[in-house]
Amino acid sequence: MKNKGKIFGVIGLGRFGFHVAKTLAQARVEVIACDSDEEKVRRVADFVSHAFVLDATDEKALKESGIVSADTVIVSIGENIEASILIVVQLKELGIKEVIAKAATPMHGKILEKLGVDRVIYPERDMAIRLAHSLLIGEFIEEIPIGEKHSIFEIKAFEFMHRKTLKELDLRRRYDVSVLAIKRGESMLVNPSGEEQIMPGDILVVLGTTEKLSELYEKKP
Ligand code: ATP
């Protein structure tokens, strides 16, 4: 498993932090979780390896928790932006390899980025976009947003594509959708040529806009 043997820290055990800590712990990786609220800490104490009640803006308490030994720390504090920023600064100063932080607003996210956070998460916005996209283009397996409008999607090959070559489908010219790879069982055809035929069960890795993909899905040429 990816990240097996790594140590994760989760600071802030609201709904988001709780589920991150619980899911990681259930996958049997080491998790150090902390929150200033005793009740929140009690809720995760059964799952995670180490759980602490502490104010994470307090550098001394943070060091004592052992979170310094974590490879990745997830800061899941949205409401108290000041606390989130202070904690991120301390984590960067302590030399944590990877810091991931939840942002409550775009401005909060911008500040976190400027502070050198490796990954800023907007859980509600991202889930909402993902849900809307899945309603527009049908169920997709994975989405990696790149830029404002474009995403890389992993989709099941539509039925009308079966046994047609990429050249015949002509997706790039007709829909501005590029097929980057075809996953077929265990194999992965990267940069497929125009002669490649789509088979039932294929998973396509495509680059395009949601708008164009939904157009493609609706028209089923
Ligand atoms: P969610 O939407 O995920 O439930 P939220 O962003 O609304 O969370 P917040 O109220 O911002 O939740 O805080 C998340 C958690 O972080 C809370 O449980 C809170 O007790 C904790 N927290 C806030 N400040 C600190 C701090 N300085 N040190 C440790 N924990 C803190």
Side-chain angles (χ1 to χ4, degrees):
M1 188 209 304
K2 194 184 161 202
N3 289 328
K4 194 97 190 159
K6 268 178 79 171
I7 303 173
F8 291 90
V10 180
I11 300 176
L13 302 167
R15 284 163 300 176
F16 187 77
F18 172 80
H19 287 290
V20 171
K22 186 178 172 189
T23 308
L24 286 170
Q26 283 175 334
R28 300 191 188 288
V29 292
E30 196 172 340
V31 179
I32 303 167
C34 46
D35 198 293
S36 50
D37 181 334
E38 203 178 328
E39 182 52 36
K40 300 268 173 65
V41 174
R42 203 174 303 131
R43 279 177 59 210
V44 297
D46 289 342
F47 306 109
V48 305
S49 356
H50 315 278
F52 301 98
V53 181
L54 58 84
D55 177 354
T57 59
D58 176 350
E59 193 186 349
K60 191 165 163 272
L62 206 55
K63 276 186 186 159
E64 279 171 8
S65 72
I67 217 150
V68 191
S69 62
D71 301 281
T72 300
V73 176
I74 301 108
V75 181
S76 177
I77 299 174
E79 292 274 300
N80 189 344
I81 295 181
E82 194 183 332
S84 154
I85 291 168
L86 281 171
I87 294 163
V88 162
V89 171
Q90 314 239 41
L91 294 172
K92 295 301 288 182
E93 277 179 0
L94 289 169
I96 302 290
K97 252 188 266 161
E98 187 181 28
V99 178
I100 298 173
K102 184 178 91 161
T105 63
M107 187 48 83
H108 183 195
K110 221 177 226 177
I111 296 168
L112 293 173
E113 269 170 30
K114 288 242 185 300
L115 292 174
V117 164
D118 300 279
R119 204 162 133 198
V120 179
I121 312 276
Y122 302 84
E124 294 208 332
R125 185 201 68 178
D126 293 348
M127 262 316 287
I129 292 173
R130 197 182 159 91
L131 170 66
H133 283 176
S134 76
L135 295 171
L136 289 168
I137 67 169
E139 274 311 314
F140 54 81
I141 302 155
E142 193 59 81
E143 175 180 4
I144 305 165
I146 44 166
E148 278 283 292
K149 291 187 177 156
H150 291 81
S151 286
I152 293 174
F153 292 94
E154 242 181 53
I155 54 170
K156 279 189 192 152
F158 302 139
E159 213 176 318
F160 73 83
M161 296 174 173
H162 296 169
R163 297 189 177 78
K164 292 213 172 73
T165 64
L166 288 175
K167 202 168 170 182
E168 284 168 326
L169 291 166
D170 204 10
L171 303 177
R172 192 173 301 169
R173 197 182 55 80
R174 289 161 76 190
Y175 297 98
D176 231 357
V177 166
S178 299
V179 179
L180 306 178
I182 302 171
K183 285 185 179 177
R184 185 169 295 154
E186 294 295 299
S187 69
M188 174 100 158
L189 291 156
V190 180
N191 275 333
S193 78
E195 307 310 319
E196 203 60 58
Q197 237 185 21
I198 306 294
M199 304 305 285
D202 279 356
I203 306 286
L204 308 182
V205 181
V206 300
L207 168 66
T209 62
T210 319
E211 201 183 332
K212 289 288 179 189
L213 265 176
S214 56
E215 216 176 283
L216 169 71
Y217 185 65
E218 273 160 27
K219 285 192 183 160
K220 295 188 179 164

